[in-house]
Amino acid sequence: MADGNASSDISLNVAVELIAPAVEKLARHAGIRALIIKGPVATHHGLRPARASADIDVLVEPGRAYDLVDALEACGWKRRPMTRAAELAASHSESLIHPRWPIDIDVHAKFPGFLAGEPSAFEALWRDRTAMSLAGTDCTVAGLHGSIIIALLHAIRPDAIGHQRTDEHRLALAAVARMTRVDQERFVDIVVDSGAAGALVGSLREVGLTVPVPGGQDATAWDALVASKGSFTGQVLAAASTAHGGQRVKVLWLALWPSATELRAAYEGEGHVVRSVTWLRLQRLGRGLRALPGALRALARARREAKHSGEGAQ
Amino acid sequence: MRHADVAQVVEHGTVYVLNLGHLATQQSPYIFDGSSAQIWLRIDGATPTTRIVNDLAEIYGAPAVTIDADVRAFIEYSVAMGLVHLDPADE
């Protein structure tokens, strides 16, 4: 009956329920504002059928994500190995794993699709927060409106799986359609304040909501990512398109030539047996080259559309 | 009674308890099943130890004297782990 169990002794549902208050506790102790998002929170708001989650997602106030990661590392959690190029390309979150738990903790510094920057997005979602009881304790979670925005962004993300995309999108839009007029107005305010208007304008049009898209929210990287269907090459190009100077060169170089150590760690972390790093490099290069024309076309198209919409707004 | 900093989930009769106040040293949950789950679920700040003993003696058809030692050992262990603190009313 003592602790010391292996991860297989704990179901995904139990792990998610217990880890959420653990994250809440560590964040509060360190004075970090953090919101549990997606998974059980989406289910709580009726935006997702009840099903097991393989991770718990937490969105952290700007500049404090690594403080929470540090606090989790002090409790035995470790960063999931990935190449630095993948880290830079998917710089919105850090995945942590623990040998005694069957789920990951995804600590999000930002969430793809919020185009006005992290501070605006977090503050808008924080104002909409609510409390949810998990494992008998109150946890701070995204509110209904914020959860709908996150569900829609998640559903239209480039790498969404077909049926999940449809279900999540449908349930989130149905929740918007059920709102009173006053609630819809409040919802639109949060969409705009959080910087999600540019990404969600098309989805919300489906339920008759017109959302103003403020200028200065560069949707190029997001559109390029969506158009490239979330391929790693597309992610790298999207990350490079928003980076400047030396950072852009760094992203591209690390994508082309990750170190042998990180390449091996990343593949072994995914459960693959690595026999030859050279063979891995060739495979990666081949996949990258095959995806490159499509990703470049997607980026060019996104830039053209951004330019046209910018001209239209003037 | 149970410490306020304890998270608890019950699944299929098994109780999973995570000590939120000691996450660095107690990194995974305590798993209580069978009689330990029955005892844990009765440590609620309202049920005295003698009542817990009598309940378990009835459930398992065992002498209260034997059960009494097990219950007190479990409670002592829970106190030592920081999961429970004792009130005079618990007796």
Side-chain angles (χ1 to χ4, degrees):
Chain A
M1 65 188 177
D3 73 340
N5 47 285
S7 64
S8 57
D9 296 332
I10 311 167
S11 73
L12 295 176
N13 284 332
V14 168
V16 164
E17 283 229 21
L18 288 174
I19 286 300
V23 171
E24 165 95 11
K25 175 78 183 177
L26 291 172
R28 275 198 189 185
H29 185 69
I32 300 167
R33 291 183 295 159
L35 287 169
I36 307 292
I37 59 171
K38 298 168 61 183
V41 182
T43 302
H44 171 74
H45 289 306
L47 304 173
R48 195 189 86 141
R51 64 165 183 266
S53 295
D55 53 30
I56 188 106
D57 294 272
V58 55
L59 182 66
V60 180
E61 67 175 301
R64 302 299 308 274
Y66 284 100
D67 292 338
L68 183 58
V69 169
D70 287 346
L72 286 162
E73 285 184 326
C75 297
W77 291 82
K78 296 194 183 329
R79 297 174 200 212
R80 186 177 276 288
M82 58 180 357
T83 62
R84 288 182 67 204
E87 268 177 31
L88 287 169
S91 61
H92 59 276
S93 70
E94 186 82 57
S95 286
L96 292 111
I97 52 177
H98 191 294
R100 295 186 190 168
W101 291 94
I103 59 168
D104 285 20
I105 300 175
D106 287 344
V107 177
H108 295 260
K110 53 186 170 182
F111 198 87
F114 289 112
L115 306 174
E118 297 89 69
S120 304
F122 185 83
E123 294 304 334
L125 296 176
W126 183 255
R127 282 195 296 276
D128 184 57
R129 73 190 180 280
T130 188
M132 175 182 171
S133 178
L134 285 158
T137 69
D138 275 349
C139 293
T140 310
V141 304
L144 173 62
H145 293 171
S147 292
I148 291 172
I149 295 170
I150 289 167
L152 286 172
L153 289 175
H154 193 239
I156 62 173
R157 77 193 191 280
D159 56 341
I161 301 167
H163 69 89
Q164 280 186 1
R165 177 191 293 248
T166 315
D167 289 350
E168 287 173 16
H169 203 251
R170 182 176 52 76
L171 287 169
L173 287 183
V176 177
R178 279 196 303 272
M179 288 178 194
T180 63
R181 189 90 184 153
V182 173
D183 258 357
Q184 283 186 340
E185 284 170 8
R186 188 167 164 260
F187 171 70
V188 168
D189 285 345
I190 296 174
V191 170
V192 173
D193 291 349
S194 65
L200 296 184
V201 65
S203 293
L204 295 176
R205 202 178 292 131
E206 290 179 34
V207 286
L209 280 189
T210 306
V211 181
V213 182
Q217 294 183 9
D218 184 6
T220 309
W222 169 258
D223 291 343
L225 205 57
V226 171
S228 68
K229 297 185 169 53
S231 70
F232 177 68
T233 308
Q235 288 179 46
V236 169
L237 282 180
S241 76
T242 54
H244 299 285
Q247 184 70 2
R248 178 177 295 177
V249 174
K250 190 175 172 185
V251 169
L252 294 171
W253 172 249
L254 288 171
L256 272 172
W257 205 257
S259 77
T261 309
E262 65 182 20
L263 197 55
R264 185 179 284 278
Y267 275 75
E268 287 176 348
E270 289 171 7
H272 302 296
V273 177
V274 177
R275 292 196 177 84
S276 158
V277 171
T278 307
W279 176 243
L280 278 185
R281 286 195 198 285
L282 290 172
Q283 276 191 315
R284 272 170 60 89
L285 211 53
R287 281 198 303 270
L289 286 173
R290 280 195 298 278
L292 187 60
L296 282 171
R297 278 196 301 274
L299 184 60
R301 193 161 55 243
R303 281 188 166 148
R304 274 198 308 275
E305 284 169 8
K307 192 176 171 201
H308 288 154
S309 63
E311 285 167 356
Q314 287 168 4
Chain B
M1 64 186 298
R2 288 177 214 151
H3 200 285
D5 252 358
V6 161
Q8 166 189 305
V9 177
V10 183
E11 186 183 65
H12 309 308
T14 299
V15 188
Y16 300 82
V17 177
L18 186 62
N19 192 345
L20 301 177
H22 297 274
L23 287 168
T25 51
Q26 299 175 32
Q27 298 181 358
S28 55
Y30 296 87
I31 301 178
F32 301 138
D33 56 9
S35 58
S36 57
Q38 296 289 341
I39 300 168
W40 176 262
L41 291 171
R42 285 168 172 77
I43 302 174
D44 54 10
T47 309
T49 305
T50 48
R51 167 93 177 276
I52 297 174
V53 171
N54 289 337
D55 282 357
L56 265 77
E58 195 174 320
I59 292 169
Y60 292 102
V65 180
T66 314
I67 297 287
D68 185 85
D70 290 345
V71 168
R72 289 179 194 281
F74 179 87
I75 291 173
E76 274 175 31
Y77 171 78
S78 301
V79 170
M81 293 297 106
L83 301 172
V84 165
H85 57 89
L86 284 179
D87 288 339
D90 292 336
E91 289 298 311

